[in-house]
């Protein structure tokens, strides 16, 4: 079996397992896994910027929020259908990333991280205080009748699950193609040695901007899907927490791995879910898991597996 065949077989097997979950999981876990798949799509986009290109951003909540409110406000205030609203959310995420990238990429390292954080905080405060449109911290509850896509009721468990799966599958296949393409190789080269990439004739600024915009499109798609599938658009979902969470999911699953964001998001979601049944300090459990990870698997779960046994894993 060739390496390419092995890679596609593993990723398609994961998608087949998730497809089976739609029929086998009880309603509670259907909703949870649907949410995880949407958030994993968001983390996949973050991984393109951070794991593959080396851009440590704390501004992705702005891109996620742009998709969330880009879709939610159109549905709420303009009566737009779920399909066009979702497309608008994707575009909003990409445009937000492009605007931030044009300015923030003039800096590097810690300065880039701080500038992106400032943009995200400005976006959060804009949402928080423009209550006439966004309803601030209270948020927007999208009516059930507005959450219909091609005749499917997105508020029902099974359609919501399969739309979440469709989004994740599309994101996974596109990402797998991207990171194995020449463009993906250049992204990794920039992460490893930017000056050498420049000497080879590549424009780091343009390449990083492209990676950030692609990352923003993923975040916008996930934000729009979250609002439409779960019926809520709120300022808390555009707060700094939602810039840090995808970073944690990527680190937990393995930065620079295609399936790492799914593994990280799934593990962290259920760590919080199950530990909250025993203690109110569920985040302490997550913190302990992250400490153990840093000590024993600093490259994340899949990153460590790749280093030790699965050298071919993308």
């Amino acid at each position: 079996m060739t390496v390419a065949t092995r890679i596609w077989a593993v990723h398609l097997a994961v998608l087949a397992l998730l497809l089976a979950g739609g029929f086998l999981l009880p309603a509670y876990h259907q909703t949870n896994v649907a949410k995880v798949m949407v958030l994993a799509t968001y983390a996949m986009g973050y991984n393109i910027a951070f794991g593959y290109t080396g851009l440590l951003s704390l501004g992705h909540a702005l891109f996620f929020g742009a998709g969330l409110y880009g879709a939610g406000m159109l549905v709420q205030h303009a009566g737009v259908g779920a399909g066009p609203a979702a497309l608008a959310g994707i575009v909003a995420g990409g445009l937000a990333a492009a605007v931030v990238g044009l300015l923030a990429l003039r800096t590097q390292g810690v300065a880039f991280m701080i500038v992106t954080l400032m943009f995200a905080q400005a976006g959060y405060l804009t949402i928080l205080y423009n209550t006439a449109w966004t309803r601030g911290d209270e948020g927007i509850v999208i009516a059930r009748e507005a959450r219909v896509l091609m005749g499917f009721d997105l508020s029902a468990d099974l359609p919501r699950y399969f739309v979440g799966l469709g989004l994740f599958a599309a994101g996974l296949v596109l990402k797998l193609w991207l990171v194995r393409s020449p463009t993906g190789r250049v992204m990794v080269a920039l992460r490893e040695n930017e000056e050498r990439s420049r000497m080879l004739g590549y424009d780091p600024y343009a390449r990083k901007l492209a990676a950030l915009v692609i990352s923003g499109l993923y975040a916008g798609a996930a934000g729009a899907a979250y609002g439409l599938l779960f019926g809520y658009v709120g300022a808390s979902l555009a707060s700094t927490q939602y810039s840090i969470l995808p970073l944690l999911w990527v680190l937990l699953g393995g930065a620079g791995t295609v399936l790492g964001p799914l593994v990280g998001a799934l593990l962290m979601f259920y760590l919080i879910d199950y530990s909250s049944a025993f203690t109110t300090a569920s985040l302490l459990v997550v913190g302990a898991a992250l400490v153990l990870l840093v000590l024993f698997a600093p490259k994340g779960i899949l990153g460590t597996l790749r280093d030790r046994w699965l050298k071919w894993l993308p």
Side-chain angles (χ1 to χ4, degrees):
M1 183 183 293
T2 65
V3 171
T5 304
R6 193 179 303 168
I7 289 169
W8 280 105
V10 167
H11 289 80
L12 290 175
V14 170
L15 292 178
L17 190 63
L18 290 171
L19 178 65
F23 299 103
L24 301 175
L25 292 172
Y28 174 74
H29 290 292
Q30 272 188 355
T31 300
N32 284 348
V33 175
K35 189 173 291 186
V36 166
M37 289 189 290
V38 171
L39 295 176
T41 303
Y42 177 28
M44 279 197 293
Y46 188 88
N47 198 24
I48 289 171
F50 171 61
Y52 288 94
T53 316
L55 296 172
L56 178 53
S57 162
L58 289 180
H60 268 62
L62 176 62
F63 314 150
F64 185 77
L68 186 74
Y69 277 91
M73 288 173 63
L74 280 177
V75 171
Q76 182 75 6
H77 298 299
V80 172
L87 291 175
I90 296 170
V91 172
L95 284 175
V99 171
V100 170
L102 285 169
L103 299 171
L105 286 171
R106 299 178 183 277
T107 63
Q108 291 184 335
V110 175
F112 174 79
M113 184 175 65
I114 292 172
V115 170
T116 54
L117 176 61
M118 290 168 60
F119 273 109
Q121 191 64 13
Y124 170 67
L125 293 174
T126 300
I127 291 168
L128 197 62
Y129 294 125
N130 279 279
T131 54
W133 291 96
T134 65
R135 302 191 66 180
D137 214 19
E138 182 183 347
I140 298 169
V141 176
I142 301 176
R144 181 170 183 167
E145 55 270 17
R147 294 161 58 198
V148 177
L149 181 65
M150 294 186 292
F152 293 101
D153 180 4
L154 300 182
S155 63
D157 292 329
L158 203 58
R160 177 167 52 202
Y161 184 92
F162 285 118
V163 170
L165 174 58
L167 174 71
F168 176 77
L172 183 70
V173 170
L174 285 172
K175 183 183 175 185
L176 187 56
W177 169 80
L178 174 66
V179 300
R180 289 171 52 78
S181 72
T183 299
R185 305 297 187 193
V186 173
M187 286 159 45
V188 173
L190 285 170
R191 182 193 68 194
E192 297 299 321
N193 194 320
E194 184 176 323
E195 286 306 312
R196 183 172 293 178
S197 301
R198 194 193 309 274
M199 288 174 61
L200 290 171
Y202 298 109
D203 181 355
Y205 181 84
R207 297 285 180 158
K208 286 181 179 180
L209 180 61
L212 196 63
V213 170
I214 294 169
S215 182
L217 290 170
Y218 270 76
Y226 193 98
L228 293 169
L229 293 179
F230 302 102
Y232 178 69
V233 174
S236 61
L237 297 170
S239 65
T240 306
Q241 177 187 6
Y242 274 80
S243 287
I244 296 172
L245 283 173
L247 171 61
L248 296 180
W249 296 329
V250 167
L251 290 175
L252 190 57
T257 62
V258 175
L259 287 172
L262 174 65
V263 173
L266 187 66
L267 181 58
M268 190 166 171
F269 186 94
Y270 274 102
L271 267 176
I272 294 172
D273 187 59
Y274 285 126
S275 62
S276 61
F278 303 101
T279 175
T280 55
S282 56
L283 290 179
L284 182 63
V285 177
V286 174
L290 288 170
V291 169
L292 291 172
L293 180 78
V294 169
L295 291 174
F296 299 106
K299 292 189 176 181
I301 295 169
L302 292 187
T304 301
L305 285 175
R306 180 171 63 185
D307 270 7
R308 295 182 181 177
W309 299 291
L310 305 174
K311 303 291 185 184
W312 49 269
L313 194 67

